[in-house]
Amino acid sequence: MNFNFKKKFGQNFISDKNLLGAICNDADITKNDEVLEIGAGMGALTKQLCGSAKKVVAYEIDQELKQHLQALGCNNLTLHFEDALKKPLEQIENDFAGKYKLVANLPYYITTPLIFKFLQSQKIVSLTIMVQKEVGQRIVAKPGGKDYGALSVCCQHFCNNKIMRIVPRNMFTPQPEVDSCIVKMQIENEFNQNSQKFFNLVKICFKSRRKTLLNNLSEGLGLDKSLLSQLGFNLSVRAEQLSCQQFEELAKILDCYLGQDEIVPMQQ
Ligand code: SAH
């Protein structure tokens, strides 16, 4: 097929059969599974998924790929030519009878918003996603280092995360400027009415990485430092020093000061 790759859509396709099979294995796809794929591209991974799963629902933003994908001839495949980031989660999930697994070779520019979108699902079992290697390292990072940030804390609050394999840049067409990895995020904590508060707290704490929790919290929540100092939690440290569990404790302590509404979409 004669095709112009579009950088703006993050098009880096894979075709290596071993790698495609490995991704399906990493995602643990069986004939009982319903699968959501974001960014079907030429459909190489889509086809592989259709062979392993009960049902696959795939999204592709690029209308130029429509004819090609429709001709794949998979009878357990539902295609949507839409922006998966913009489509409301509830509508995406209408295609599934029950729980589902997300598998995707993601465009790098939508990785973080997409993770935050699907962490809010109550029907998702796992996310097995190809991400930039450095993003994978941030997802699994432990406290204390520069990789540890809002993305690490939020992913670790909801999921058990594992880097399944490193994928070198030469596995993609066209070849990107960075290496990738497959991360598997297995949901352990479902999103509930406190989860948005947790997101908001983490975001505020990491607002200025070099500031102490006390300074970030008093600015972010508009609270007096003297009040914050009386909460019985050591706030003289930086956010990057707190474990995920300590963030959970802090969220409980600050519960009544944290908003339920999304403040600003999380970027990191
Ligand atoms: N799954 C294919 C393609 C991966 S490249 C493979 O592994 O070879 C990423 C794909 O995501 C591209 O085809 C791109 O057009 C698509 N894409 C980018 N942004 C998207 C969005 N917001 N919603 C749905 N698809 C998107």
Side-chain angles (χ1 to χ4, degrees), residues 222-239:
L223 293 175
D224 225 51
K225 286 187 186 167
S226 57
L227 182 141
L228 286 165
S229 306
Q230 289 164 23
L231 295 174
F233 194 99
N234 178 12
L235 299 177
S236 64
V237 295
R238 292 179 186 158

PDB file of all heavy atoms in Angstrom, residues 222-239:
ATOM      1  N   GLY A 222      -4.600  26.738  48.968  1.00  0.00           N
ATOM      2  CA  GLY A 222      -4.960  28.022  49.587  1.00  0.00           C
ATOM      3  C   GLY A 222      -5.146  27.889  51.095  1.00  0.00           C
ATOM      4  O   GLY A 222      -6.041  28.513  51.667  1.00  0.00           O
ATOM      5  N   LEU A 223      -4.311  27.057  51.722  1.00  0.00           N
ATOM      6  CA  LEU A 223      -4.443  26.843  53.172  1.00  0.00           C
ATOM      7  C   LEU A 223      -3.263  27.466  53.916  1.00  0.00           C
ATOM      8  O   LEU A 223      -2.143  27.532  53.390  1.00  0.00           O
ATOM      9  CB  LEU A 223      -4.490  25.345  53.490  1.00  0.00           C
ATOM     10  CG  LEU A 223      -5.708  24.557  53.002  1.00  0.00           C
ATOM     11  CD1 LEU A 223      -5.523  23.077  53.297  1.00  0.00           C
ATOM     12  CD2 LEU A 223      -6.997  25.068  53.629  1.00  0.00           C
ATOM     13  N   ASP A 224      -3.541  27.867  55.131  1.00  0.00           N
ATOM     14  CA  ASP A 224      -2.525  28.448  55.993  1.00  0.00           C
ATOM     15  C   ASP A 224      -1.455  27.413  56.351  1.00  0.00           C
ATOM     16  O   ASP A 224      -1.777  26.270  56.652  1.00  0.00           O
ATOM     17  CB  ASP A 224      -3.231  28.885  57.288  1.00  0.00           C
ATOM     18  CG  ASP A 224      -2.778  30.252  57.681  1.00  0.00           C
ATOM     19  OD1 ASP A 224      -2.817  31.141  56.808  1.00  0.00           O
ATOM     20  OD2 ASP A 224      -2.371  30.412  58.857  1.00  0.00           O
ATOM     21  N   LYS A 225      -0.195  27.816  56.335  1.00  0.00           N
ATOM     22  CA  LYS A 225       0.873  26.871  56.677  1.00  0.00           C
ATOM     23  C   LYS A 225       0.744  26.385  58.115  1.00  0.00           C
ATOM     24  O   LYS A 225       1.085  25.242  58.417  1.00  0.00           O
ATOM     25  CB  LYS A 225       2.239  27.516  56.463  1.00  0.00           C
ATOM     26  CG  LYS A 225       2.591  27.633  54.999  1.00  0.00           C
ATOM     27  CD  LYS A 225       4.002  28.123  54.785  1.00  0.00           C
ATOM     28  CE  LYS A 225       4.209  28.361  53.305  1.00  0.00           C
ATOM     29  NZ  LYS A 225       5.392  29.102  52.996  1.00  0.00           N
ATOM     30  N   SER A 226       0.257  27.264  58.987  1.00  0.00           N
ATOM     31  CA  SER A 226       0.160  26.841  60.395  1.00  0.00           C
ATOM     32  C   SER A 226      -0.884  25.730  60.530  1.00  0.00           C
ATOM     33  O   SER A 226      -0.692  24.774  61.282  1.00  0.00           O
ATOM     34  CB  SER A 226      -0.194  28.028  61.283  1.00  0.00           C
ATOM     35  OG  SER A 226      -1.391  28.615  60.847  1.00  0.00           O
ATOM     36  N   LEU A 227      -1.945  25.824  59.773  1.00  0.00           N
ATOM     37  CA  LEU A 227      -2.956  24.756  59.808  1.00  0.00           C
ATOM     38  C   LEU A 227      -2.368  23.441  59.268  1.00  0.00           C
ATOM     39  O   LEU A 227      -2.489  22.380  59.884  1.00  0.00           O
ATOM     40  CB  LEU A 227      -4.171  25.162  58.961  1.00  0.00           C
ATOM     41  CG  LEU A 227      -5.339  24.173  58.932  1.00  0.00           C
ATOM     42  CD1 LEU A 227      -6.665  24.927  58.970  1.00  0.00           C
ATOM     43  CD2 LEU A 227      -5.322  23.280  57.701  1.00  0.00           C
ATOM     44  N   LEU A 228      -1.677  23.545  58.140  1.00  0.00           N
ATOM     45  CA  LEU A 228      -1.086  22.343  57.533  1.00  0.00           C
ATOM     46  C   LEU A 228      -0.063  21.686  58.465  1.00  0.00           C
ATOM     47  O   LEU A 228       0.039  20.460  58.519  1.00  0.00           O
ATOM     48  CB  LEU A 228      -0.430  22.693  56.196  1.00  0.00           C
ATOM     49  CG  LEU A 228      -1.397  22.959  55.029  1.00  0.00           C
ATOM     50  CD1 LEU A 228      -0.679  23.644  53.874  1.00  0.00           C
ATOM     51  CD2 LEU A 228      -2.032  21.655  54.542  1.00  0.00           C
ATOM     52  N   SER A 229       0.662  22.522  59.213  1.00  0.00           N
ATOM     53  CA  SER A 229       1.703  21.989  60.101  1.00  0.00           C
ATOM     54  C   SER A 229       1.115  21.201  61.260  1.00  0.00           C
ATOM     55  O   SER A 229       1.805  20.422  61.913  1.00  0.00           O
ATOM     56  CB  SER A 229       2.560  23.117  60.669  1.00  0.00           C
ATOM     57  OG  SER A 229       3.061  23.877  59.623  1.00  0.00           O
ATOM     58  N   GLN A 230      -0.157  21.400  61.523  1.00  0.00           N
ATOM     59  CA  GLN A 230      -0.781  20.706  62.656  1.00  0.00           C
ATOM     60  C   GLN A 230      -1.429  19.378  62.291  1.00  0.00           C
ATOM     61  O   GLN A 230      -2.102  18.758  63.097  1.00  0.00           O
ATOM     62  CB  GLN A 230      -1.844  21.626  63.282  1.00  0.00           C
ATOM     63  CG  GLN A 230      -1.243  22.802  64.038  1.00  0.00           C
ATOM     64  CD  GLN A 230      -2.270  23.886  64.314  1.00  0.00           C
ATOM     65  OE1 GLN A 230      -3.470  23.621  64.326  1.00  0.00           O
ATOM     66  NE2 GLN A 230      -1.815  25.093  64.532  1.00  0.00           N
ATOM     67  N   LEU A 231      -1.263  18.958  61.031  1.00  0.00           N
ATOM     68  CA  LEU A 231      -1.982  17.756  60.592  1.00  0.00           C
ATOM     69  C   LEU A 231      -1.320  16.452  61.036  1.00  0.00           C
ATOM     70  O   LEU A 231      -1.880  15.380  60.872  1.00  0.00           O
ATOM     71  CB  LEU A 231      -2.114  17.744  59.068  1.00  0.00           C
ATOM     72  CG  LEU A 231      -2.972  18.873  58.479  1.00  0.00           C
ATOM     73  CD1 LEU A 231      -2.897  18.846  56.960  1.00  0.00           C
ATOM     74  CD2 LEU A 231      -4.419  18.752  58.940  1.00  0.00           C
ATOM     75  N   GLY A 232      -0.096  16.552  61.551  1.00  0.00           N
ATOM     76  CA  GLY A 232       0.582  15.344  62.008  1.00  0.00           C
ATOM     77  C   GLY A 232       1.226  14.566  60.876  1.00  0.00           C
ATOM     78  O   GLY A 232       1.386  13.352  60.956  1.00  0.00           O
ATOM     79  N   PHE A 233       1.567  15.245  59.800  1.00  0.00           N
ATOM     80  CA  PHE A 233       2.246  14.604  58.670  1.00  0.00           C
ATOM     81  C   PHE A 233       3.467  15.454  58.331  1.00  0.00           C
ATOM     82  O   PHE A 233       3.353  16.674  58.234  1.00  0.00           O
ATOM     83  CB  PHE A 233       1.292  14.545  57.467  1.00  0.00           C
ATOM     84  CG  PHE A 233       1.739  13.621  56.370  1.00  0.00           C
ATOM     85  CD1 PHE A 233       1.215  12.340  56.260  1.00  0.00           C
ATOM     86  CD2 PHE A 233       2.698  14.027  55.441  1.00  0.00           C
ATOM     87  CE1 PHE A 233       1.627  11.481  55.250  1.00  0.00           C
ATOM     88  CE2 PHE A 233       3.119  13.158  54.436  1.00  0.00           C
ATOM     89  CZ  PHE A 233       2.570  11.895  54.339  1.00  0.00           C
ATOM     90  N   ASN A 234       4.609  14.822  58.184  1.00  0.00           N
ATOM     91  CA  ASN A 234       5.828  15.588  57.906  1.00  0.00           C
ATOM     92  C   ASN A 234       5.776  16.199  56.501  1.00  0.00           C
ATOM     93  O   ASN A 234       5.944  15.504  55.506  1.00  0.00           O
ATOM     94  CB  ASN A 234       7.051  14.669  58.047  1.00  0.00           C
ATOM     95  CG  ASN A 234       8.331  15.410  57.719  1.00  0.00           C
ATOM     96  OD1 ASN A 234       8.339  16.645  57.608  1.00  0.00           O
ATOM     97  ND2 ASN A 234       9.420  14.665  57.561  1.00  0.00           N
ATOM     98  N   LEU A 235       5.562  17.499  56.447  1.00  0.00           N
ATOM     99  CA  LEU A 235       5.421  18.180  55.152  1.00  0.00           C
ATOM    100  C   LEU A 235       6.676  18.958  54.769  1.00  0.00           C
ATOM    101  O   LEU A 235       6.663  19.747  53.832  1.00  0.00           O
ATOM    102  CB  LEU A 235       4.214  19.134  55.182  1.00  0.00           C
ATOM    103  CG  LEU A 235       2.848  18.485  55.427  1.00  0.00           C
ATOM    104  CD1 LEU A 235       1.752  19.548  55.514  1.00  0.00           C
ATOM    105  CD2 LEU A 235       2.504  17.490  54.319  1.00  0.00           C
ATOM    106  N   SER A 236       7.769  18.701  55.506  1.00  0.00           N
ATOM    107  CA  SER A 236       8.992  19.449  55.204  1.00  0.00           C
ATOM    108  C   SER A 236       9.833  18.752  54.133  1.00  0.00           C
ATOM    109  O   SER A 236      10.947  19.155  53.848  1.00  0.00           O
ATOM    110  CB  SER A 236       9.820  19.641  56.481  1.00  0.00           C
ATOM    111  OG  SER A 236      10.228  18.372  56.945  1.00  0.00           O
ATOM    112  N   VAL A 237       9.285  17.707  53.533  1.00  0.00           N
ATOM    113  CA  VAL A 237      10.013  16.985  52.481  1.00  0.00           C
ATOM    114  C   VAL A 237       9.417  17.329  51.108  1.00  0.00           C
ATOM    115  O   VAL A 237       8.361  17.947  51.021  1.00  0.00           O
ATOM    116  CB  VAL A 237       9.933  15.454  52.704  1.00  0.00           C
ATOM    117  CG1 VAL A 237      10.648  15.056  53.977  1.00  0.00           C
ATOM    118  CG2 VAL A 237       8.483  14.984  52.742  1.00  0.00           C
ATOM    119  N   ARG A 238      10.116  16.898  50.058  1.00  0.00           N
ATOM    120  CA  ARG A 238       9.602  17.114  48.698  1.00  0.00           C
ATOM    121  C   ARG A 238       8.748  15.924  48.273  1.00  0.00           C
ATOM    122  O   ARG A 238       8.944  14.809  48.758  1.00  0.00           O
ATOM    123  CB  ARG A 238      10.751  17.256  47.712  1.00  0.00           C
ATOM    124  CG  ARG A 238      11.545  18.515  47.914  1.00  0.00           C
ATOM    125  CD  ARG A 238      12.669  18.552  46.898  1.00  0.00           C
ATOM    126  NE  ARG A 238      13.547  19.679  47.157  1.00  0.00           N
ATOM    127  CZ  ARG A 238      14.807  19.746  46.743  1.00  0.00           C
ATOM    128  NH1 ARG A 238      15.329  18.740  46.067  1.00  0.00           N
ATOM    129  NH2 ARG A 238      15.533  20.796  47.001  1.00  0.00           N
ATOM    130  N   ALA A 239       7.866  16.185  47.324  1.00  0.00           N
ATOM    131  CA  ALA A 239       6.943  15.135  46.863  1.00  0.00           C
ATOM    132  C   ALA A 239       7.687  13.886  46.398  1.00  0.00           C
ATOM    133  O   ALA A 239       7.234  12.759  46.619  1.00  0.00           O
ATOM    134  CB  ALA A 239       6.075  15.676  45.736  1.00  0.00           C
TER     135      ALA A 239
END
